[in-house]
Amino acid sequence: MGLKQVVFYCFWGVFGFITAFHATAQTHQQYLKAEKHLNKNQLHSYQQTLATLDSHPLLPYLQAKKIRKQFYNTPIEQIDQFLTKHQGQPSARLLQRSWLWHLAGKKQWRLFLEYFHYTENLTLRCHRVTALESTNRQDEAFKEGKELWLLGLSLPKACDKVIASWQRMGYITSDLIWQRLLQAQEKRQYKLVRFLKKKLPSSLKHDALLVQRLWRRPNKILHDDRAHSLGNKAKTLLLTRALKYYPDEFYSLQESKLFKGITPEQLKNLEQTALNASAKSSGSQTYPLYLKAKQKGLFTSELEEGFLLGAVRSQNWPLYSHLYKISGGENKNKPRWQYWNARALQVLGSDQKLSDHFYSLASSERGFYGFLASQKIGVSASMNHTPTHVQASTLKEIRTFPSVKRALAFLDIGRVSHARREWQYAFNHLDSDGRQALAVIAGRLEWADRPISTLAQQRSWHDLQLRFPLAHEPLFDNAARKSAISKNWIYGIARQESAFMPDALSPVGATGLMQLMPSTAKSVSRHQRIKYSKKRLLEPAYNIRLGSLYLKELLHKYKGNRVLATAAYNAGPGNVKKWLKRFNGPLDIWIERIPFAETKKYVQRVLTYSTIYSYRLGKLQPILDVDTLAAWSSLQPENLTVSKTSIERNNKG
């Protein structure tokens, strides 16, 4: 083929792509135009525009929207036809949900029951109870209403009328109110507990007050004679709480009056609670309890991990070394316990080659403990990156799937939440190869959060390019430069906080890529003299800028210690201050002793992700940077977890 022919074909290839892109953009514009006409009830213009969209992937959404706007005069056959044709698809599920709300509003209960499918939505479930009651299916209504009642949660207003009716008829007995109160107490729904207490007869009010008081003072539960008079469920609730704090008292008190009436099954559960708590606290009776758990058939892999963790947290290295030696293969081969075994051997003065052997075993795995181990022995962290390989034919085929086409069309017009819904629908209906293809397609589109989610659901962990994308890199680069903090750390925070979903919004109001609370963002804006806008927190540039500046403030507060700054970003500086007062020994053990499970996992993941991002950015860094180690060393020099040689090695690196 001559040069002119190559140029000719390249020209027509590019021209074809541009033409196809232009055509797609035009059809999207027509879709939005039709939608606009429909929103304004301009039905004639809508129908005219609709005629140009016979093959548009989002056509079902327009059809569903038209039905929703005209439920009052749409034949049920037409609704059924749509639901049947698009059964299970997001457009059909949205229509069905709207149809249920419409039927509930019109009190068309028989139809409501015909179209109802199980949902987590409590309001719709309350409407179902009303529908059953209204269609003379009282037994079913009471059964389902009782399930909702005993959730121990505040119920929506849709349940009020039925519950009020049952109260008048005497169905809501004192016992049911009491059971609900105990469930609410266990779920820490304290406002509901106070409300329910007022509904109880005087005898049970006294018991409810006692439960509330003892719940607040776990140290009183096991030795307060008043607890003996409580019923079985209330006693079990309180004993479970007390034994989490004072597990060692279980065996000395199980013959006392407090345990009178407790069933064998309840007793077994209480003993398991005590063992789990005792294992993690690692007191003087830890090893006898370890043997007792084995003898009584209560020993599990999870409980074994609790005993190992307790020995680490209490720095009982002889106990840890022995427990690791006799542990099962499942735990013995985990990098976490290999790392701590190496630490135990080091502290106990064993041969350096032996501890290095276990560090080496742990360091072969990518993860928090593997990275700690690699830093200990001065080797590069193992990344074990394996790209996802998908045949070109499979990629081409998957892109033609209707759900994928709908997802990509929504993505084109900026409706990301709808696009994610369709993407998930596609994932649910594909085999393993198809799901891998989805991840690759999303990665090529630079749709950062979808490869992360897709591969996580597939439990495919080794493609670091897809799982740790360099999303919004110019923005992160600019933020790192202006805040003078490491880019890989900011990336690690964002990856953990939102998985790069710019529209992420938590139940408590944390917003955007860096999941900033509006109050925090406002404070940072004031300190940095930046105009504050709550709406702009959803803009990646604004969110990353404020998030990185908040990290800078925390890093300054903790004198360069990224571990403490990361913990404070998640749990707040107040909690970090309390934790430092309780323990400021070796840094790796401090992390292991973080009392909030969520924060401990958060810190470990952010440090891990930051290390992976340093690899992705071309300059692999150790998991504990020099500034962090120096800051921790100045806090308590004798408890530095990494040797001076290691610090010098890191400085040279």
Side-chain angles (χ1 to χ4, degrees):
M1 186 181 289
L3 179 61
K4 288 184 179 179
Q5 286 177 299
V6 171
V7 172
F8 176 80
Y9 283 117
C10 286
F11 169 78
W12 281 109
V14 172
F15 179 76
F17 172 78
I18 293 171
T19 304
F21 178 80
H22 182 65
T24 301
Q26 277 191 322
T27 57
H28 288 339
Q29 287 300 316
Q30 287 296 95
Y31 172 85
L32 293 171
K33 186 178 177 183
E35 187 181 56
K36 187 176 180 180
H37 289 318
L38 189 56
N39 288 337
K40 292 183 176 181
N41 288 319
Q42 298 168 343
L43 297 184
H44 179 69
S45 299
Y46 164 74
Q47 291 293 349
Q48 285 184 321
T49 311
L50 191 67
T52 67
L53 292 170
D54 58 334
S55 61
H56 195 279
L58 300 183
L59 188 58
Y61 283 88
L62 280 178
Q63 295 166 338
K65 189 164 192 172
K66 184 173 183 294
I67 293 172
R68 288 201 304 275
K69 288 180 71 67
Q70 298 183 329
F71 275 142
Y72 61 92
N73 66 355
T74 301
I76 289 179
E77 293 79 9
Q78 188 177 335
I79 296 172
D80 288 341
Q81 186 180 12
F82 184 92
L83 293 176
T84 301
K85 182 178 179 181
H86 303 284
Q87 186 175 12
Q89 294 178 17
S91 59
R93 292 204 303 272
L94 289 170
L95 176 62
Q96 186 168 18
R97 176 69 66 91
S98 297
W99 180 228
L100 285 172
W101 287 114
H102 173 79
L103 294 173
K106 297 293 183 181
K107 295 181 170 51
Q108 293 179 283
W109 298 121
R110 291 190 186 280
L111 273 176
F112 181 93
L113 291 173
E114 285 182 31
Y115 287 91
F116 183 87
H117 287 286
Y118 179 80
T119 173
E120 294 291 333
N121 185 283
L122 290 180
T123 301
L124 284 176
R125 289 174 68 184
C126 284
H127 282 317
R128 174 171 165 80
V129 174
T130 301
L132 291 168
E133 179 88 0
S134 302
T135 54
N136 299 317
R137 293 162 65 177
Q138 279 83 2
D139 289 347
E140 291 177 73
F142 187 66
K143 181 183 176 183
E144 295 193 24
K146 185 178 176 182
E147 287 177 8
L148 290 171
W149 176 265
L150 293 178
L151 287 174
L153 302 170
S154 294
L155 296 174
K157 289 184 178 180
C159 274
D160 288 354
K161 191 173 181 181
V162 171
I163 290 171
S165 172
W166 287 347
Q167 284 174 329
R168 286 193 301 272
M169 292 187 286
Y171 292 171
I172 306 296
T173 63
S174 297
D175 182 57
L176 275 179
I177 297 172
W178 178 242
Q179 288 183 52
R180 189 180 189 206
L181 182 145
L182 294 178
Q183 289 283 352
Q185 185 72 54
E186 185 176 12
K187 293 180 178 177
R188 293 175 165 78
Q189 299 290 310
Y190 302 129
K191 187 177 180 181
L192 179 58
V193 169
R194 291 193 295 272
F195 171 78
L196 291 169
K197 187 172 67 175
K198 296 174 185 176
K199 304 290 183 182
L200 290 169
S202 56
S203 59
L204 283 175
K205 272 182 184 172
H206 176 270
D207 287 353
L209 184 61
L210 179 59
V211 167
Q212 281 182 291
R213 286 175 175 171
L214 291 176
W215 181 270
R216 289 195 293 267
R217 300 177 181 85
N219 60 315
K220 302 283 188 184
I221 293 171
L222 298 174
H223 302 284
D224 193 317
D225 291 342
R226 294 175 299 171
H228 300 171
S229 62
L230 292 170
N232 224 6
K233 289 183 179 178
K235 277 203 296 187
T236 305
L237 173 70
L238 292 173
L239 283 170
T240 300
R241 180 164 173 79
L243 290 172
K244 288 178 180 177
Y245 292 89
Y246 308 99
D248 293 345
E249 297 201 42
F250 173 81
Y251 292 103
S252 61
L253 288 173
Q254 62 173 314
E255 301 299 328
S256 68
K257 289 181 181 179
L258 186 58
F259 283 79
K260 188 177 179 181
I262 300 293
T263 68
E265 186 62 30
Q266 289 172 331
L267 193 64
K268 182 179 177 181
N269 291 335
L270 289 170
E271 185 171 14
Q272 195 76 60
T273 298
L275 283 168
N276 287 335
S278 185
K280 291 173 184 175
S281 63
S282 193
S284 59
Q285 293 299 306
T286 296
Y287 191 59
L289 286 173
Y290 179 96
L291 295 176
K292 190 183 285 274
K294 282 205 163 184
Q295 290 165 1
K296 299 187 75 171
L298 297 171
F299 203 77
T300 62
S301 177
E302 184 182 353
L303 181 56
E304 182 175 68
E305 289 197 275
F307 279 109
L308 290 168
L309 177 59
V312 169
R313 291 171 62 170
S314 62
Q315 300 182 79
N316 189 339
W317 300 118
L319 175 63
Y320 182 87
S321 183
H322 181 65
L323 291 178
Y324 179 80
K325 197 175 294 182
I326 62 175
S327 64
E330 183 183 348
N331 285 326
K332 190 169 283 185
N333 295 323
K334 288 182 178 178
R336 181 184 192 180
W337 307 122
Q338 290 169 338
Y339 171 81
W340 287 118
N341 192 48
R343 285 275 278 113
L345 291 168
Q346 242 182 345
V347 175
L348 294 171
S350 298
D351 190 315
Q352 185 67 37
K353 288 182 180 178
L354 186 57
S355 59
D356 283 356
H357 167 71
F358 283 101
Y359 281 135
S360 182
L361 288 175
S363 71
S364 65
E365 295 289 333
R366 181 184 64 249
F368 178 70
Y369 296 99
F371 292 168
L372 282 179
S374 66
Q375 184 168 6
K376 283 285 190 178
I377 54 177
V379 300
S380 294
S382 297
M383 289 296 154
N384 304 322
H385 167 56
T386 306
T388 302
H389 293 295
V390 181
Q391 291 184 353
S393 59
T394 303
L395 291 172
K396 186 176 180 181
E397 180 188 1
I398 296 302
R399 288 189 73 113
T400 65
F401 272 45
S403 51
V404 174
K405 290 170 76 172
R406 291 193 295 269
L408 298 181
F410 272 130
L411 195 62
D412 285 344
I413 62 175
R415 296 186 186 173
V416 183
S417 60
H418 282 72
R420 289 194 197 106
R421 196 178 290 121
E422 287 286 357
W423 202 258
Q424 186 60 45
Y425 178 82
F427 178 91
N428 293 342
H429 291 80
L430 288 171
D431 61 13
S432 179
D433 287 345
R435 291 170 174 182
Q436 298 282 82
L438 279 181
V440 172
I441 292 167
R444 290 181 180 179
L445 291 169
E446 297 185 358
W447 188 7
D449 63 275
R450 285 307 87 191
I452 295 171
S453 171
T454 302
L455 291 177
Q457 291 180 81
Q458 186 74 347
R459 301 191 66 79
S460 178
W461 309 116
H462 298 304
D463 190 329
L464 301 186
Q465 188 171 345
L466 290 177
R467 290 191 61 231
F468 296 90
L470 299 177
H472 306 290
E473 189 172 9
L475 300 181
F476 280 98
D477 196 50
N478 187 50
R481 189 170 59 254
K482 289 190 174 181
S483 61
I485 60 177
S486 60
K487 182 177 170 182
N488 60 297
W489 184 36
I490 310 174
Y491 258 129
I493 293 280
R495 171 63 167 76
Q496 171 60 23
E497 287 286 356
S498 67
F500 301 112
M501 290 192 289
D503 55 343
L505 188 65
S506 82
V508 295
T511 304
L513 284 169
M514 305 286 284
Q515 285 290 276
L516 285 168
M517 292 295 291
S519 56
T520 302
K522 194 171 186 178
S523 172
V524 173
S525 299
R526 186 173 63 252
H527 296 163
Q528 302 295 331
R529 298 182 180 180
I530 298 169
K531 186 177 180 181
Y532 174 69
S533 168
K534 187 176 180 180
K535 288 182 180 179
R536 289 189 64 200
L537 288 177
L538 291 171
E539 295 176 13
Y542 188 70
N543 193 282
I544 294 168
R545 184 184 181 193
L546 291 183
S548 61
L549 289 171
Y550 181 49
L551 283 173
K552 179 183 179 180
E553 289 182 9
L554 291 173
L555 199 63
H556 177 72
K557 178 181 179 67
Y558 297 111
K559 300 178 181 178
N561 191 321
R562 284 202 308 190
V563 170
L564 299 183
T566 300
Y569 194 93
N570 178 258
N575 280 313
V576 172
K577 185 178 181 180
K578 284 191 290 186
W579 301 338
L580 284 170
K581 283 182 179 178
R582 292 178 193 169
F583 179 80
N584 60 0
L587 182 54
D588 51 359
I589 296 173
W590 187 88
I591 295 170
E592 204 72 81
R593 286 173 59 104
I594 292 175
F596 293 177
E598 178 199 331
T599 302
K600 179 168 80 169
K601 189 179 291 185
Y602 180 91
V603 169
Q604 291 176 340
R605 285 181 175 175
V606 167
L607 294 176
T608 302
Y609 295 169
S610 299
T611 305
I612 293 171
Y613 268 108
S614 73
Y615 165 78
R616 290 280 286 117
L617 293 166
K619 190 176 181 181
L620 181 60
Q621 297 175 12
I623 191 165
L624 298 176
D625 62 288
V626 174
D627 290 340
T628 294
L629 293 172
W632 192 261
S633 176
S634 66
L635 186 68
Q636 194 169 23
E638 67 272 18
N639 284 319
L640 187 62
T641 62
V642 180
S643 67
K644 291 180 180 178
T645 308
S646 297
I647 295 180
E648 290 167 4
R649 188 189 300 126
N650 290 334
N651 275 320
K652 289 176 183 176

